[in-house]
Structure formats: structure tokens, C-alpha cells
């Protein structure tokens, strides 16, 4: 048996998908009984040189794919919202299965598109949209049956992880590391999508929808990126034996979720401290399996192509774990998963009494100093609080105890022990 | 729709399975359309107090399950070879699907049992036999379609990992750590199965069969356990910034496999150095996805039960990736994946020239010394060889350069770079 596929887009992801489907078509048929054939490929430019042999397959007209009754599966690898949204919607509405690698689309319109897929009795799959090659969504479908999963988190953006790894291991500045990432093709010319945490945020929303059955509006989650991370903060953090990682996390509670995207300090003993360069890691916590960590490449032509083909195989095998709980819209609560923070304060120049003032303040506020440094009018420390971080920072400002330049959370090894506190926290790059 | 299940055994695994199937039966039905019901449970002792309510379900007669036409799925949780082998064989032959957590059975008789399952058109699944809760076998089935996976390895025994973690972080002796593992229920009264590496070996054989489509006889793989690991070796290893891990690994080459089970030194930068206590980690390397590391609990009632139920879900959904390559019997070659080794030599007491003799020998043999210590007539070092480790050790003995007390490999970060050398190596506890 043969099945015809329409491919939208022939960039990095599209090329990887094309390579894998053509080179492993025989394997796919042997394993599933169905031979996948790419019938048409939508591109913007017909004459652009391509890395793959696609003579006779290219078209600039999406309708040639979307209206083709022979095409049963559409793979969307365009990215962005429009026209990807319209194409996916039309494909689903006309009874085609859709596989997409588009995190922004799934984060912003996943609820609507899932609904359309359900109504038309077709699959909408997006394994490649989260964690690159890591087969996490498929796994979650299974795990949800036997487990109450109440935590999902991890390092889900390869570009920022590469930049942070270069900064902490090679002593590079943010600008240098970013430039290198761009030269290597890890970061786009406009890096905002990655470095400001949008990419991580979209992936977190997709993960939380899958894991918790919740729909969360994109703008309800606190997002803090790595742009503007100062070299001097990395110096302190490294010296004290921590790594800095852009961490996306969601914790389900009875009537809502806590969630955030933010740079956090990770202890050397934590496995995340060993997830470097463009690698991703996703952590799940369930009441039967305990804790999983899945580590793999976050991006790349073939890794991402692999995730798309994994979805294709599920469709060909009609692997269909039903999700009878409709996703609910739940409020996102602002909060912290830790009581331990890194802070850096710029002191008023030359005031000899500054250090004593800080120490007195910390003592009064019962803030335990785990690490600290005072030099060149800069005070940096890792502190463990008894009180609310917001209240603490407010008082710090009120009392004019220097100028707060940076504040990051320290990730606790055992997230089950987190003291989730509801408040508007101020953590991030200031 | 309902499906009736027969459960063989009600120990740790059996109890976990029973708990999950009864507590999550509704979820399983919602997700798969089929409600699983445990109809009978085979036990040795009908009157033993149980942690679960099983009134009316227990039997001491296996035939009540194996001959019951209503029972479509048999879950084997007895362990050992006999009578587990006979029961599984009979169940498969009479057209029942079988799920087993029994690594020894699958390692020694997997080929035969897979054949029987195939002939009878039923599933034989053993996710719980490898990596505890880590859903690795299911994943490999999918990944094999798009990838040539040429390496599988990892930490697959929780008991030994717990002992080694305690030894390296708490300064305990092997005997103390073992005793503690026994008190916590991680190790059996007779710990040989774990500490001598049999458990890891069986799991490796199952992994290699799945990943490489090869059948490997149990006794053809070099196996070295952690029993007899000396406190002083751990001291040197820890001081020099390494961790010791029991590593099971297999590398496919064109006409055979290299494979081994042995304690290895792992650098601090390696993610495996952060896999501690009873956790397991499985590494896969494929030509499309790159490298995966899956980390999770290696054992336990619910984690293992979770893996069994994952198999059950695959059966209920008829998830059937066909494996058309029949497993081939391939020779196991002895070899090393590294040129870097830890060694400890006991020198002849009081001979002041000993150190110079060693250093001269190492220089002659072009062995680069990365770390070293000489005290109390003991020389310990991490060395990087240009020559074959066997030849090196032979010469060391010939020249009577002290008495070789311990020798371990140092795991290289990038196993793709391994120089696999064919020889009979001597690595292990001496």
C-alpha cells in the first residue's frame, strides 16, 4: 500500500523530512505495511538550488496540495502563523492528517486546530515542535494513562543553551557567543525568537497542553530571556559552582498551573548541568514512574526530520491513544519554585558603610547568605530566603540598599519539594 | 470491551502491575477502548498476607490461567528460567499475548520465544525487563525505522549504581554500601545477580537484540562486576574527579558486535556522572537523531508496573511495528572502546627504585600519565596508551613492574570516536 504526502516548505525541516522519507521509505513500508510517497512540495521559489532531488515535485500553489484528494497526509514545515495556520486548517478540514513542526502555530492555535482535527477524524501531530528529536509527546500520551504527571520542565531551546554553554565554559561575552551561534547557523539573524524565550515559551505551552490537558494563553506566562545576561553574573555563577540554564517549567496544582520561562542557576550535581550546547532535556514527574529525564539534540535537519517521521509512523500504524479529557483553560499563577536566589547589587560608589548596610539588612530579613562577593561597589550573592522574594526586593528598594542589577532563581534538585508561592515575582534580567 | 488477563506471580512486580491495572483500568479503557481485567493470579502460597485485595483471584495451579480460553493476555512476573519459560511458551503457543519483566528469560530464551510468538501471531513484550520504568524498547522499535543505531549502552542496574554512588559520595566501603542496599531492599540476600553484572548482562543482550537485530549468547560477552571494588581505588578515582559506573555497552560493526559489562571511570563532565543511586540511563546513537540519553528509575513496584502496563497499552492498541529482519547470530568481539585506563600497582616493598622503574617503563611504552599517585608502595594512575592494553599489561607482568591490582577503562565522552580494537582485554577487578 502507498500513501501520498504533501510537504509544505523545503527549508531545514522540510529538507530533513524529504531526505528521511525518500531514503527510508522501504524501511517504513516493511515496518508499517505502507509506503509513503511525497507527491508535491510547496516552495516559495521554484528555481532556488536545492540540496535534494525534487524535480517535478515543486509547486508554488498550496491549493495543488490542499485540494489534491490523493494526498492523505500534509506535513507543514513553513513555520510562523500565516499562511501556515490557514493551510493546516484547510488540510484538516478536508480530512487530511497533518504533521507540523511549528511550535508557534501549535502554541497559539493548537486548541482550535486540535478541535478541527477531532471533528474531521484525522490526526494532528507535532512531535517535532518540542524538544527537537526527543520523542517526548508520543511518550507523554502513554505515560498519562498510568500516571498523574504534575511537573514538566527542562531545557527546550538549543540556541540559548549553546550561548550559555559558551559563556560559562569559554568565558565569552553574550555578544560574542550569540555571534558565534549565528555563524554556526544555530541562531537567526534576528535572534529575539530564541534569546527572549519565545521559542521556549511556545514549547512549554505545547508540553503543558499535552501533559496537564490545559490550554494556557501565550501571554499569561512569565517569560524572561537570556539577552542582556551580563558576563560578570556568569563569572560569579561559575565561580560558585553553578551553571546558568534557560529553564521552562510548569507545575500543575488543583485549579491552575504555575509556570515560567527564565534563566536559573543549576547546581553541579544536577543532571541539567551536564546538558550542554544545542542539547535539550525534558523532565517529567509522575506518581508511578517517578522522574524521567530525556536528553537529545534540540534541532537540526535530520533530528527534527526524525521526529516528523515518528509522527508519520504513528499515523500509518493508526496509533491512537484517545484523550477524553478536553483541555481546560486554567489560570496561570505567578510563583517561584525556590527560596534560593542569586542577586547582584550595584552599590553607591565609595560608601564604605555599604557592605555593613547590606549585611544588616539581610540579617534583619533572615536571608541566609550561601555565597557572596563584594568588590568594586558590586555585591553579588546566593541567598536563601524565609520571606517572599517580592517583599524582599520591595524592601531592598525601599531601603535604597544599592541598585538591583540581576536576580535569578536557583533550581532545587528535588522539584517535588518546591515551595510554590503565589506572588508576582520580579526574577529575571533587570 | 473487556479483556481478561492472567497474572503469574504477585511479588514486587506483580503487585505493582495489579495496583496499576486496577487503579487505572478506567483510564486504560478511555484511552484504548478496552477495559483490562485481571481474572486470575498464580501464587505459590494462597495464605500469605498481600498488600492488595485479591480475594477469589489467587490460584496455585498455572493451568487455570494457561488453559483458560477467556484469558487473552498473560503477564509473567515470576522471574527465573523455570517454570517461567514453560509457562510463557505454553501461553504463546495457545495464542495468548505475553508481557514479561523477566530479563534472564528474555536474554537466554528470547530468540526461541520471539519465534513462538511470531508463529502464533501474538505479541511478546518485555519493556519492564530493561531499564525499569524507562520506556526504551518501545522507543527503539520506532527509531530503528529511520535510523541506523550502532551504539547502545548505559547504566542499567540500579543496585550496583546505588552501591557505587554510596561508595564515592559517602566514603563507604563496598561491604557497607552493599549491606545498606540490602537493608533498603535494593539488593537481594544473595547479591551476585546484581553485583557480578549478570543483571546488566541480560539487559544488554535484550537491548542488543532489539537495537541491532542480533542474538548474542550470554556467555560470549565479557562481564566484570563491582564485587571486590577496593575502597582505595574509589579514593583515587574520586580524587581525580571521576565517577565509577557499571557500564553495559554494545557497538555494532559490519560483521559482529563489540560488547561488554564492566566498571568504567566516567568524567565529571559526562552526563552519566550525574546518574546516581538507583537511577538508570540508556544511551542510543543513531545516524539521524544523533544521541539520546534516557534517564529514569531502574526498579521499584510502580515504575516497573508502569513499564508492564505500557506494553499492555501497546497490545490493546495493536501497536505493531514489524521487524522483518530476523535476528542474526553474530560473533562478539572482545575489544576496548578507549585508550585511557585507570591502573593500580602494588610495588615490592621498600624498593626505592620502584617509581623510577615504573616511569621508565611507561615512557618506553609511550603511555601518557594523566593522573598519578605513589604512596605506601602503591602506584595508581590514569594513563593514555598508544599501544594495545593487553600487550601493555603483558609487558608489565614480564618486566615484573609491580603487581597489577586493578585496571578499569575510562569512558570517553564521544563514543563515536572510540577506537575499537580487537583483542582479549584484561580490564576489570583483578
Amino acid at each position: 500500500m502507498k500513501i501520498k504526502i504533501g510537504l509544505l516548505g523545503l527549508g531545514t525541516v522540510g529538507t530533513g523530512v524529504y531526505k528521511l522519507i525518500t531514503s527510508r521509505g522501504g524501511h517504513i513500508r516493511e515496518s508499517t505495511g505502507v509506503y509513503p510517497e511525497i507527491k508535491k512540495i510547496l516552495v516559495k521559489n521554484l528555481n532556488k538550488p536545492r540540496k535534494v532531488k525534487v524535480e517535478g515535485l515543486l509547486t508554488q500553489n498550496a491549493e495543488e496540495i490542499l485540494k489534491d484528494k490523493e494526498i492523505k497526509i500534509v506535513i507543514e514545515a513553513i513555520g510562523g502563523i500565516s499562511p501556515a495556520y490557514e493551510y493546516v486548517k484547510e488540510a484538516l478540514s478536508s480530512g487530511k492528517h497533518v504533521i507540523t513542526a511549528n511550535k508557534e502555530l501549535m502554541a497559539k492555535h493548537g486548541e482550535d486546530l486540535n478541535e478541527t482535527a477531532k471533528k474531521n477524524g484525522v490526526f494532528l501531530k507535532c512531535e517535532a515542535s518540542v524538544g527537537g528529536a526527543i520523542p517526548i509527546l508520543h511518550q507523554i500520551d502513554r505515560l498519562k494513562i498510568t500516571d498523574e504527571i504534575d511537573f514538566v520542565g527542562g531545557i527546550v531551546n538549543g540556541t540559548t543553551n549553546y550561548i550559555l554553554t559558551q559563556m560559562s565554559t569559554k568565558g565569552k561575552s553574550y555578544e560574542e557567543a550569540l555571534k558565534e551561534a549565528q555563524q554556526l547557523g544555530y541562531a537567526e539573524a534576528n535572534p529575539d525568537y530564541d534569546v527572549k524565550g519565545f521559542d521556549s515559551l511556545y514549547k512549554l505551552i505545547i508540553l503543558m497542553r499535552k501533559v496537564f490537558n490545559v490550554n494556557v494563553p501565550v501571554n499569561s506566562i512569565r517569560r524572561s530571556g537570556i539577552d542582556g545576561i551580563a558576563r560578570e553574573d556568569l563569572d560569579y555563577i561559575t565561580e560558585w559552582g553553578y551553571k546558568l540554564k534557560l529553564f521552562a517549567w510548569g507545575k500543575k496544582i488543583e485549579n491552575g498551573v504555575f509556570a515560567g520561562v527564565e534563566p536559573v542557576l543549576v547546581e553541579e550535581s544536577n543532571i541539567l548541568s551536564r546538558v550542554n550546547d544545542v542539547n535539550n532535556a525534558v523532565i517529567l514527574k509522575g506518581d508511578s514512574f517517578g522522574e524521567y529525564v530525556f536528553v537529545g539534540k534540540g534541532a537540526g535537519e535530520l533530528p527534527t526530520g526524525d521526529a516528523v517521521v515518528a509522527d508519520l509512523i504513528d499515523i500509518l500504524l493508526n496509533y491512537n491513544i484517545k484523550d477524553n479529557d478536553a483541555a481546560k483553560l486554567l489560570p496561570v499563577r505567578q510563583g517561584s519554585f525556590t527560596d534560593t536566589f542569586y542577586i547582584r547589587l550595584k552599590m553607591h560608589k565609595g560608601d564604605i558603610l555599604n557592605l555593613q548596610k547590606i549585611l544588616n539588612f539581610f540579617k534583619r530579613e533572615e536571608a541566609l547568605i550561601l555565597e557572596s562577593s563584594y568588590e568594586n561597589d558590586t555585591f553579588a550573592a546566593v541567598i536563601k530566603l524565609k520571606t517572599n522574594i517580592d517583599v524582599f526586593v520591595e524592601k531592598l528598594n525601599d531601603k535604597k540598599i544599592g541598585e538591583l542589577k540581576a536576580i535569578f532563581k536557583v533550581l532545587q534538585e528535588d522539584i517535588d519539594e518546591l515551595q510554590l508561592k503565589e506572588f508576582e515575582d520580579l526574577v529575571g534580567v533587570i
Side-chain angles (χ1 to χ4, degrees), chain A:
Chain A
M1 204 177 107
K2 251 189 197 177
I3 196 158
K4 308 262 180 173
I5 295 170
L7 178 57
L8 308 177
L10 196 58
T12 304
V13 176
T15 303
V17 168
Y18 184 83
K19 278 186 187 172
L20 279 176
I21 291 182
T22 47
S23 67
R24 311 275 181 157
H27 280 76
I28 296 172
R29 189 191 49 218
E30 278 170 33
S31 308
T32 65
V34 186
Y35 187 86
E37 187 189 303
I38 294 182
K39 191 179 175 188
K40 272 182 207 127
I41 306 172
L42 178 71
V43 292
K44 273 193 196 152
N45 185 339
L46 290 176
N47 301 315
K48 195 171 145 186
R50 303 284 172 183
K51 287 161 71 186
V52 282
K53 286 199 171 185
V54 285
E55 282 91 30
L57 298 181
L58 302 186
T59 172
Q60 286 173 307
N61 179 4
E63 295 300 303
E64 278 192 36
I65 290 172
L66 301 172
K67 295 258 184 281
D68 187 331
K69 290 229 161 71
E70 238 191 14
I71 289 175
K72 302 295 183 201
I73 299 173
V74 168
I75 298 174
E76 186 271 305
I78 307 174
I81 296 296
S82 189
Y85 171 77
E86 290 77 13
Y87 292 167
V88 169
K89 184 96 176 172
E90 186 179 338
L92 294 170
S93 302
S94 55
K96 299 186 197 309
H97 304 294
V98 172
I99 302 168
T100 175
N102 191 329
K103 45 228 141 190
E104 188 176 358
L105 178 67
M106 289 306 290
K108 293 183 176 167
H109 299 282
E111 190 183 357
D112 159 21
L113 293 173
N114 280 335
E115 202 51 50
T116 309
K118 214 172 170 182
K119 222 183 286 170
N120 290 279
V122 288
F123 288 106
L124 168 60
K125 290 191 166 269
C126 60
E127 184 68 80
S129 69
V130 183
I134 305 174
I136 189 73
L137 298 181
H138 173 95
Q139 213 40 258
I140 293 168
D141 270 333
R142 272 170 60 133
L143 293 173
K144 264 161 73 179
I145 303 177
T146 47
D147 280 71
E148 297 296 326
I149 308 178
D150 72 344
F151 182 87
V152 58
I155 298 167
V156 293
N157 179 271
T159 308
T160 48
N161 204 39
Y162 180 83
I163 292 171
L164 291 174
T165 304
Q166 290 296 309
M167 285 181 76
S168 79
T169 61
K170 306 275 170 69
K172 291 188 177 139
S173 70
Y174 170 74
E175 289 73 20
E176 284 168 341
L178 170 60
K179 203 174 156 190
E180 194 183 292
Q182 285 170 327
Q183 281 163 352
L184 288 166
Y186 297 152
E188 304 290 323
N190 177 356
D192 283 1
Y193 188 74
D194 292 312
V195 300
K196 289 188 186 297
F198 289 105
D199 178 80
S200 296
L201 174 66
Y202 298 150
K203 289 169 177 169
L204 176 63
I205 286 172
I206 297 169
L207 281 170
M208 291 203 302
R209 186 186 293 130
K210 187 60 111 183
V211 175
F212 303 145
N213 278 66
V214 299
N215 282 310
V216 171
V218 167
N219 55 12
S220 67
I221 294 177
R222 224 195 145 287
R223 171 188 46 80
S224 181
I226 66 154
D227 51 325
I229 293 271
R231 182 62 254 166
E232 67 179 302
D233 288 320
L234 255 299
D235 288 339
Y236 290 120
I237 289 167
T238 306
E239 189 188 326
W240 295 333
Y242 296 94
K243 297 263 189 276
L244 193 70
K245 298 287 176 189
L246 185 62
F247 191 60
W249 63 282
K251 166 104 181 163
K252 174 97 169 55
I253 55 165
E254 205 179 334
N255 266 312
V257 291
F258 285 93
V261 172
E262 57 199 318
V264 300
L265 275 68
V266 173
E267 288 173 44
E268 286 279 336
S269 58
N270 191 312
I271 197 165
L272 291 185
S273 71
R274 265 52 190 173
V275 177
N276 288 325
D277 297 321
V278 292
N279 285 318
N280 280 200
V282 179
I283 304 169
L284 297 174
K285 286 170 182 285
D287 59 353
S288 298
F289 64 76
E291 177 177 323
Y292 283 125
V293 187
F294 298 93
V295 181
K297 292 222 183 307
E301 187 181 281
L302 290 180
T304 310
D306 226 37
V308 170
V309 176
D311 279 345
L312 175 63
I313 291 163
D314 277 0
I315 292 175
L316 299 183
L317 288 173
N318 192 32
Y319 184 67
N320 189 15
I321 291 185
K322 285 170 213 80
D323 211 343
N324 284 0
D325 290 344
K328 275 182 291 193
L329 186 69
L330 279 190
V332 175
R333 296 166 190 221
Q334 307 302 326
S336 177
F337 51 72
T338 185
D339 54 6
T340 309
F341 299 85
Y342 165 89
I343 62 165
R344 176 165 57 89
L345 297 167
K346 184 80 184 164
M347 309 307 294
H348 309 295
K349 215 168 174 112
D351 183 348
I352 200 82
L353 295 173
N354 271 334
L355 183 59
Q356 198 53 51
K357 210 160 98 187
I358 299 171
L359 297 180
N360 286 343
F361 173 77
F362 279 30
K363 198 173 171 188
R364 226 166 31 235
E365 297 297 323
E366 298 182 271
L368 186 66
I369 299 177
L370 303 178
E371 304 281 356
S372 67
S373 157
Y374 186 71
E375 47 180 355
N376 302 327
D377 301 311
T378 291
F379 178 80
V382 175
I383 55 169
K384 197 174 159 68
L385 291 184
K386 281 200 179 170
T387 53
N388 182 309
I389 179 69
D390 272 354
V391 176
F392 182 85
V393 168
E394 206 173 290
K395 284 191 188 168
L396 198 71
N397 287 331
D398 277 1
K399 307 269 176 195
K400 302 207 163 56
I401 312 284
E403 196 186 333
L404 190 60
K405 287 292 191 183
I407 177 163
F408 302 116
K409 293 174 186 165
V410 177
L411 186 65
Q412 278 171 234
E413 186 82 26
D414 192 345
I415 301 168
D416 290 338
E417 297 293 310
L418 302 182
Q419 295 300 312
L420 286 161
K421 288 166 200 139
E422 259 184 89
F423 51 81
E424 285 291 331
D425 65 344
L426 287 160
V427 175
V429 178
I430 291 167

